[in-house]
Amino acid sequence: MSQRPIYLDNHATTPVDPRVLAAMLPYFTEQFGNATSSHVYGWEAEAAVQQGRETLAAAIQAAPEEIIFTSGATEANNLAIKGVAEAYFSKGRHLITVATEHNAVLDPCRYLQSLGFEVTTLPVQPDGLIDLAVLEQAIRPDTVLVSVMAANNEIGVVQPLAEIGALCHDRHVLFHTDAAQAIGKISLNVTAMQIDLMSLTAHKLYGPKGIGALYVRRRSPRVQLAPQLHGGGHERGLRSGTLYTPQIVGLAKAVELAIADMPAESQRVLALSDRLWQSLRQLDGVLLNGHPTQRLPGNLNISVAGVDGSALLLGLQPAIAVSSGSACTSAKRTPSHVLTAMGRSPDLAYASLRFGIGRFNTDAEIDQAADWTIATVRSLREAGSAVVEAPTSRRSAATDSR
Ligand SMILES: *Cc1c(COP(=O)(O)O)cnc(C)c1O
């Protein structure tokens, strides 16, 4: 085993697959042209961009003209949400989203609220799924957009996209989904699922950081979008800025590889998550967070009752790179908004671990990670100092069957 901790944080980011890097390299040097230039350098770049657009479109059953390249899912979410709100301003000013969304969806919604838009934030059920009846009731005549993520970045829960799409189209409301975690892990079909806008990113999928895309439906209905970056009029005027050819080639290669390997790879990764869960559940007071089966194959999110979250993460750090259920984006520690929205107490949200298992993880790594985690939890519990009060209510939560 190398000195570096085992990487089990593949929901945060992933290494670039060597095959992706190999595809990208020529576009930094020999084929460095600007895709809008009218000479052979430009044409080479333009052909690569077009190829990338076709690969991405084919992966989600879209048309190539419906793909807008962005710097990642954050920008794609901003373009979708603010772009729709602005373009449909005269139709209505109400948007619907979900409490467990990524901040790259929640923050643009909050920003729009500050401008006078109304936003309904749907709750989730204890398993992390939305209730379709609650969504249906939230739709109003002035609702212009419903934004529900495909797969959650913390708990891996996969929302019922086709049902949401059908509901939205029935009610003539646009449906946006943040598929940053879902692309290449589960099948996505914008036609069958009636998705109007979909955000993608490469770096959760063994592609490079700094590149993503927004799918924008062009017919039935044709989605109107107000650009958020103005300039040279690239991407049909929706997203100006010189196309980042190497990154686009990398995104497309990453998507192509993930889709080709998806059936076998999702089984392999699911077996690894199951193996980890079967080991960890031998501990008392370990809870699975999120729906037991309707989730990404590589996700395992658990809460460990009776230990302090920071002490737990600190204990794991030498051996395993994972994330915990506290957002350390600010100086003040706050429990995960996803876990608290599901009804977990702040203590259980702090004392949570997100294992993101990916392409390069092995059986041996999973077994080592399980052993280390079990040993760390036991020693923390024995030390006792780290034990936050272990009330009966938490015990009863610990025995629930999920
Ligand atoms: C990572 C992530 C984002 C942000 O994507 P970037 O490409 O890093 O901007 C947005 N939404 C979800 C669900 C994510 O997991």
Side-chain angles (χ1 to χ4, degrees):
M1 183 188 158
S2 79
Q3 303 311 311
R4 310 232 308 151
I6 299 167
Y7 189 73
L8 289 172
D9 203 9
N10 287 284
H11 298 305
T13 195
T14 55
V16 172
D17 189 298
R19 295 167 291 178
V20 170
L21 180 63
M24 292 171 67
L25 284 176
Y27 293 94
F28 287 103
T29 49
E30 299 94 63
Q31 301 178 55
F32 62 87
N34 185 325
T36 59
S37 299
S38 303
H39 45 62
V40 70
Y41 298 89
W43 300 328
E44 283 170 1
E46 191 197 2
V49 168
Q50 182 56 21
Q51 182 57 53
R53 215 184 285 289
E54 283 167 19
T55 302
L56 232 62
I60 58 168
Q61 310 297 311
E65 322 80 71
E66 296 177 314
I67 304 295
I68 306 294
F69 290 112
T70 65
S71 62
T74 300
E75 188 192 333
N77 287 339
N78 273 268
L79 177 56
I81 294 166
K82 295 192 265 186
V84 163
E86 198 180 324
Y88 291 83
F89 187 70
S90 54
K91 183 189 175 231
R93 292 161 207 185
H94 178 237
L95 299 93
I96 299 174
T97 188
V98 184
T100 52
E101 292 291 313
H102 193 277
N103 279 326
V105 164
L106 294 175
D107 273 355
C109 288
R110 287 186 196 114
Y111 169 73
L112 288 170
Q113 246 172 337
S114 78
L115 298 182
F117 288 83
E118 278 185 79
V119 177
T120 299
T121 306
L122 301 176
V124 292
Q125 304 175 103
D127 61 9
L129 290 170
I130 64 161
D131 182 337
L132 289 166
V134 173
L135 168 60
E136 187 165 20
Q137 279 162 17
I139 297 177
R140 318 192 310 211
D142 62 340
T143 307
V144 292
L145 184 72
V146 168
S147 183
V148 180
M149 72 202 315
N152 187 274
N153 48 297
E154 292 187 29
I155 53 172
V157 162
V158 176
Q159 298 289 352
L161 299 177
E163 287 83 352
I164 299 168
L167 185 57
C168 290
H169 272 208
D170 236 35
R171 304 288 294 272
H172 304 288
V173 175
L174 296 176
F175 173 32
H176 165 249
T177 190
D178 175 352
Q181 295 286 346
I183 178 80
K185 318 272 175 56
I186 59 169
S187 36
L188 294 169
N189 182 328
V190 295
T191 310
M193 293 170 165
Q194 304 189 63
I195 295 164
D196 298 308
L197 300 121
M198 181 158 78
S199 303
L200 305 174
T201 191
H203 77 98
K204 311 281 173 74
L205 186 71
Y206 315 96
K209 294 168 183 63
I211 188 72
L214 180 66
Y215 155 77
V216 186
R217 179 178 287 281
R218 291 250 280 172
R219 44 165 112 136
S220 43
R222 182 188 179 90
V223 176
Q224 307 295 316
L225 214 51
Q228 304 298 305
L229 279 182
H230 302 88
H234 306 78
E235 300 298 83
R236 296 188 291 110
L238 291 175
R239 202 281 188 181
S240 286
T242 300
L243 288 158
Y244 197 177
T245 318
Q247 306 299 96
I248 291 171
V249 169
L251 167 62
K253 188 69 184 175
V255 168
E256 182 193 306
L257 291 173
I259 301 245
D261 290 346
M262 198 158 66
E265 179 63 3
S266 53
Q267 270 191 26
R268 191 190 72 89
V269 163
L270 180 63
L272 292 180
S273 324
D274 278 347
R275 188 184 180 99
L276 184 56
W277 173 231
Q278 294 314 328
S279 300
L280 296 181
R281 68 187 303 184
Q282 294 166 18
L283 285 165
D284 292 332
V286 172
L287 305 165
L288 179 67
N289 292 317
H291 192 282
T293 55
Q294 203 167 319
R295 62 193 299 128
L296 292 174
N299 177 279
L300 180 69
N301 190 312
I302 59 168
S303 284
V304 186
V307 298
D308 174 69
S310 317
L312 179 57
L313 201 61
L314 210 65
L316 295 180
Q317 267 163 7
I320 324 170
V322 286
S323 285
S324 78
S326 71
C328 17
T329 44
S330 59
K332 195 170 152 279
R333 194 172 75 140
T334 50
S336 148
H337 72 279
V338 173
L339 297 177
T340 50
M342 294 163 59
R344 289 288 186 229
S345 67
D347 281 348
L348 280 176
Y350 285 130
S352 71
L353 296 172
R354 175 186 72 176
F355 296 92
I357 299 164
R359 182 175 293 170
F360 301 110
N361 291 125
T362 62
D363 284 21
E365 285 181 330
I366 295 302
D367 292 345
Q368 284 169 15
D371 290 349
W372 188 277
T373 307
I374 290 170
T376 305
V377 170
R378 290 206 171 123
S379 80
L380 285 174
R381 283 180 174 159
E382 272 158 28
S385 58
V387 176
V388 287
E389 87 300 1
T392 38
S393 67
R394 193 170 294 133
R395 287 237 178 72
S396 65
T399 56
D400 84 18
S401 58
R402 288 184 304 118

